[in-house]
Amino acid sequence: MVVHDGSDASKAVQLNKCALIASVLCCALSVAPSATLAQNEAQSQLDGDQENLPIEIQSHILEFFRSQNVATFKGAVVAQQGALMITAETLILHFSGSADGQRLNEIFGEGGVSISQGEGTAKGAALHYPLDSGFATLSGDVEVREGPSTFTGDRATFNVETGNSVLEGSVKAIFVPDARIP
């Protein structure tokens, strides 16, 4: 992990071992209508090299607890990997391993979490993704937008392996017929 000081006192961190975060961010957009989903899957295949790109995280504060293998980013957090972006007030990353090689185990996002890529955006109050479980959960006034279509609910659970998702609690879906995303 490399830490850089920015001109506005924010921190930027390159986490080359964190490519799995891309999986949860891509899957957060999988609630879209099937035609749009197919288009997104085709685009994801074209962008397959994106997971090998470094992840840059900027925030006002970075707290790194080496003995606990936890990195906590606080204040206007922006994490980006290629065209994929997540924003939140707080982003907490749990690792395992040693200085020779670390593995990302779990991701928490809190406070106005927004995940976006291209025309797709997913928003909620909190994000939880224990990577070994294969399930990512976005909770608290969840809103997923894909082009002009919108889906809302209290909680969205995404299966990272299959791309299947469940939206629960006061669900509302607005499908726009024949909507095409360029």
Side-chain angles (χ1 to χ4, degrees), residues 31-41 175:
V31 182
S34 60
T36 304
L37 180 59
Q39 182 179 9
N40 286 346
E41 288 174 359
F175 297 94

Side-chain angles (χ1 to χ4, degrees), residues 10-23:
S10 67
K11 306 286 184 183
V13 176
Q14 300 274 334
L15 301 172
N16 291 325
K17 300 291 183 183
C18 299
L20 292 176
I21 195 171
S23 298

Side-chain angles (χ1 to χ4, degrees), residues 20-30 50 55 79-81 84-87 107 113-117 120 122 127 129 136 160:
L20 292 176
I21 195 171
S23 298
V24 69
L25 301 178
C26 290
C27 289
L29 304 175
S30 68
Q50 180 166 302
I55 298 169
Q80 189 159 4
Q81 183 181 35
L84 202 56
M85 185 178 348
I86 182 170
T87 61
I107 302 168
V113 177
S114 176
I115 303 163
S116 62
Q117 182 177 22
L127 170 68
Y129 180 28
V160 176

Side-chain angles (χ1 to χ4, degrees), residues 86-106:
I86 182 170
T87 61
E89 279 305 306
T90 303
L91 189 65
I92 303 167
L93 307 177
H94 291 260
F95 299 92
S96 63
S98 65
D100 295 332
Q102 291 191 327
R103 179 180 180 277
L104 182 61
N105 294 328
E106 195 166 26

Side-chain angles (χ1 to χ4, degrees), residues 11-178:
K11 306 286 184 183
V13 176
Q14 300 274 334
L15 301 172
N16 291 325
K17 300 291 183 183
C18 299
L20 292 176
I21 195 171
S23 298
V24 69
L25 301 178
C26 290
C27 289
L29 304 175
S30 68
V31 182
S34 60
T36 304
L37 180 59
Q39 182 179 9
N40 286 346
E41 288 174 359
Q43 186 63 42
S44 292
Q45 290 174 357
L46 292 174
D47 295 338
D49 292 334
Q50 180 166 302
E51 72 181 34
N52 295 322
L53 295 175
I55 298 169
E56 181 177 301
I57 303 175
Q58 297 179 354
S59 66
H60 294 298
I61 298 169
L62 166 59
E63 297 173 339
F64 183 67
F65 304 97
R66 184 176 302 279
S67 64
Q68 297 169 343
N69 285 327
V70 174
T72 302
F73 298 86
K74 295 181 180 179
V77 180
V78 177
Q80 189 159 4
Q81 183 181 35
L84 202 56
M85 185 178 348
I86 182 170
T87 61
E89 279 305 306
T90 303
L91 189 65
I92 303 167
L93 307 177
H94 291 260
F95 299 92
S96 63
S98 65
D100 295 332
Q102 291 191 327
R103 179 180 180 277
L104 182 61
N105 294 328
E106 195 166 26
I107 302 168
F108 290 95
E110 301 171 344
V113 177
S114 176
I115 303 163
S116 62
Q117 182 177 22
E119 293 287 324
T121 303
K123 296 180 180 181
L127 170 68
H128 181 219
Y129 180 28
L131 277 69
D132 286 341
S133 76
F135 290 91
T137 302
L138 192 58
S139 59
D141 296 321
V142 174
E143 177 183 276
V144 178
R145 290 183 175 269
E146 184 64 37
S149 298
T150 305
F151 309 86
T152 59
D154 298 327
R155 176 183 161 121
T157 303
F158 308 99
N159 183 320
V160 176
E161 295 297 318
T162 66
N164 294 337
S165 56
V166 176
L167 188 57
E168 305 172 275
S170 304
V171 174
K172 181 178 179 180
I174 300 172
F175 297 94
V176 179
D178 296 320

